[in-house]
Amino acid sequence: MRLLTKIDRYILGKFLSTFFFFILMMAVIICVIDYSQKIEDFVTKKAPTGELFIYFLVSAPSFITILFPLFAFLPTIFFTSKMASRTEIIAILATGSSFRRFLRAYVAGGILLGVLALVTNHYLIPRSNVVMNDFLRKYFFDKKLSTEGHVHLKISNNTFIYVENFTFDSRTGTQFTVETMDGILLKEKLTADRISYTDSTKEWTLRNVVIVKNEGVKETMTKIPELKKKYAFTPEDLSVDRNIKMEMTSPELLGYINREKARGTENVSDFEIELYKRTAQPFAGFILVIIAACIASRKVRGGSGAHLALGISISALYILMMQLTSTFATNSGLHPAIAVWIPNVIFAVLAYVLYRRKMS
């Protein structure tokens, strides 16, 4: 007995051809919109045509990946609704096939796209994002001038630093603090009004330095006008480029998250969300494919238009829920894994309810 019959291959062919046609169409639209928004910068900075072509070649898949569940859902709604309007689904079910049997091709297509999305999300898209972001940094993004507010950093097991503000062009900062801990006790605290970094010697120059040492019941204070010292960090360590999370493969991203947590970097939840989302999105695409098949397989008044309207509403609800839970993870302490998977769990329940209704 063949795993996929002629009808299954027909549905799967419709499924995949509609999906890839929809993806191609959306890629063209995304590139046109993106070019129209950035054309002034590209012309002003004289971006070469060859680099522009490569940029759009790698940027379109990146944008499509972000909305993969939506791009899997809407084509399924569209072609299934067309089949229903031509009574093809009624004819298939009239042969004695159950609705569960009818869904086999959708399950196969959803799994195929899900596996493809997993591989691209975790390994291929990050590599293309490196090319995309390098181009944007060169011709579109402004150069970062200073840190975004207060910076806390762990540079060893018992040493922590703080910088109020750091300017990268002049390599200078203000209100610098180094705290050396002994367990839970503060052993030494060094403060400086200003700091500067010398690239040639990899040395920090501290001005108006105050060093307070705690030696049990005895506390000493030393003031030094200027102090040169080497620390286990550079100016680049004071700036966290949030775009780099898009450029790392998942093993690299996991290593980065663990390293930043060990260094005491505040709020790496957006990096964790990116990591978990790479797995959650393909599963979301599979769930939404099943929902689309259950919704659009019934012939209704209004035809494809009514199904597409309902599909767009469900897609918008999914995206809204994903953004809402991600915001909670970033700002309210919700664990990123839970935040990313909440929409999937809710929509999986919806898929099961719709499936049971079709079976009854």
Side-chain angles (χ1 to χ4, degrees):
M1 180 179 176
R2 290 183 178 180
L3 184 62
L4 295 177
T5 64
K6 188 174 183 180
I7 292 177
D8 293 327
R9 293 195 296 274
Y10 170 75
I11 296 174
L12 188 58
K14 287 278 188 181
F15 176 75
L16 295 177
S17 61
T18 306
F19 171 79
F20 286 111
F21 175 78
F22 188 81
I23 289 295
L24 180 62
M25 180 180 65
M26 292 305 301
V28 173
I29 293 173
I30 288 170
C31 289
V32 170
I33 295 174
D34 190 36
Y35 181 76
S36 65
Q37 290 178 335
K38 297 183 175 72
I39 184 171
E40 185 176 346
D41 294 272
F42 294 156
V43 172
T44 302
K45 297 184 179 179
K46 299 179 181 180
T49 304
E51 290 187 37
L52 270 174
F53 176 77
I54 294 174
Y55 163 72
F56 287 115
L57 190 66
V58 299
S59 65
S62 179
F63 289 121
I64 289 170
T65 300
I66 296 172
L67 296 176
F68 168 76
L70 173 64
F71 293 151
F73 182 64
L74 292 181
T76 306
I77 282 275
F78 179 76
F79 90 84
T80 305
S81 180
K82 286 292 186 183
M83 289 178 61
S85 66
R86 295 194 295 262
T87 66
E88 292 179 46
I89 296 176
I90 294 176
I92 292 172
L93 298 178
T95 62
S97 298
S98 66
F99 186 76
R100 178 186 300 174
R101 179 65 185 79
F102 169 73
L103 282 181
R104 178 184 292 182
Y106 290 90
V107 172
I111 291 174
L112 180 62
L113 293 183
V115 171
L116 179 63
L118 279 172
V119 174
T120 55
N121 282 4
H122 287 286
Y123 296 99
L124 301 182
I125 293 298
R127 294 309 183 203
S128 67
N129 286 341
V130 173
V131 179
M132 180 183 72
N133 286 336
D134 283 346
F135 178 87
L136 291 176
R137 292 186 187 104
K138 186 176 180 181
Y139 297 107
F140 187 71
F141 291 153
D142 293 328
K143 184 179 179 181
K144 194 166 186 178
L145 301 177
S146 63
T147 55
E148 299 173 355
H150 311 281
V151 178
H152 298 267
L153 194 64
K154 181 180 179 181
I155 60 175
S156 71
N157 290 334
N158 60 350
T159 307
F160 303 83
I161 69 165
Y162 162 79
V163 183
E164 183 179 75
N165 185 65
F166 191 86
T167 303
F168 294 102
D169 283 343
S170 62
R171 315 295 266 180
T172 60
T174 59
Q175 301 304 316
F176 177 67
T177 301
V178 182
E179 294 182 341
T180 304
M181 306 296 296
D182 183 8
I184 61 173
L185 298 177
L186 179 61
K187 185 177 180 181
E188 179 182 294
K189 182 174 182 179
L190 179 151
T191 59
D193 290 342
R194 294 184 62 81
I195 58 171
S196 60
Y197 185 74
T198 305
D199 290 289
S200 58
T201 61
K202 296 182 172 25
E203 196 172 50
W204 291 92
T205 302
L206 288 63
R207 294 178 177 85
N208 298 328
V209 180
V210 177
I211 302 175
V212 178
K213 292 185 178 181
N214 182 8
E215 300 173 351
V217 295
K218 183 181 177 182
E219 185 175 277
T220 61
M221 177 185 293
T222 306
K223 294 184 178 181
I224 305 172
E226 183 174 295
L227 176 66
K228 293 183 182 294
K229 195 169 183 179
K230 290 186 176 182
Y231 287 106
F233 74 98
T234 65
E236 285 67 31
D237 293 322
L238 300 175
S239 174
V240 178
D241 184 358
R242 299 290 169 179
N243 286 324
I244 64 172
K245 64 178 180 288
M246 301 165 54
E247 302 175 12
M248 293 183 282
T249 62
S250 292
E252 293 170 345
L253 183 57
L254 180 60
Y256 177 86
I257 291 169
N258 292 334
R259 185 170 63 252
E260 290 302 305
K261 284 183 175 180
R263 296 174 65 178
T265 302
E266 295 182 340
N267 195 10
V268 293
S269 58
D270 52 339
F271 288 86
E272 293 178 296
I273 289 171
E274 170 67 21
L275 178 63
Y276 295 127
K277 191 182 289 185
R278 293 179 182 182
T279 300
Q281 279 189 333
F283 281 91
F286 174 79
I287 293 167
L288 290 176
V289 163
I290 301 303
I291 292 176
C294 292
I295 291 174
S297 59
R298 180 182 177 186
K299 187 175 182 179
V300 296
R301 185 176 298 177
S304 300
H307 286 146
L308 282 174
L310 181 58
I312 291 172
S313 300
I314 293 176
S315 301
L317 182 61
Y318 175 83
I319 294 171
L320 177 63
M321 190 174 298
M322 178 63 77
Q323 291 297 324
L324 184 64
T325 55
S326 297
T327 301
F328 272 113
T330 304
N331 301 321
S332 301
L334 181 64
H335 194 282
I338 297 175
V340 166
W341 282 92
I342 282 177
N344 282 8
V345 172
I346 293 174
F347 277 79
V349 172
L350 175 61
Y352 179 75
V353 170
L354 292 173
Y355 168 75
R356 295 304 302 175
R357 289 185 61 182
K358 294 295 294 185
M359 290 294 294
S360 59

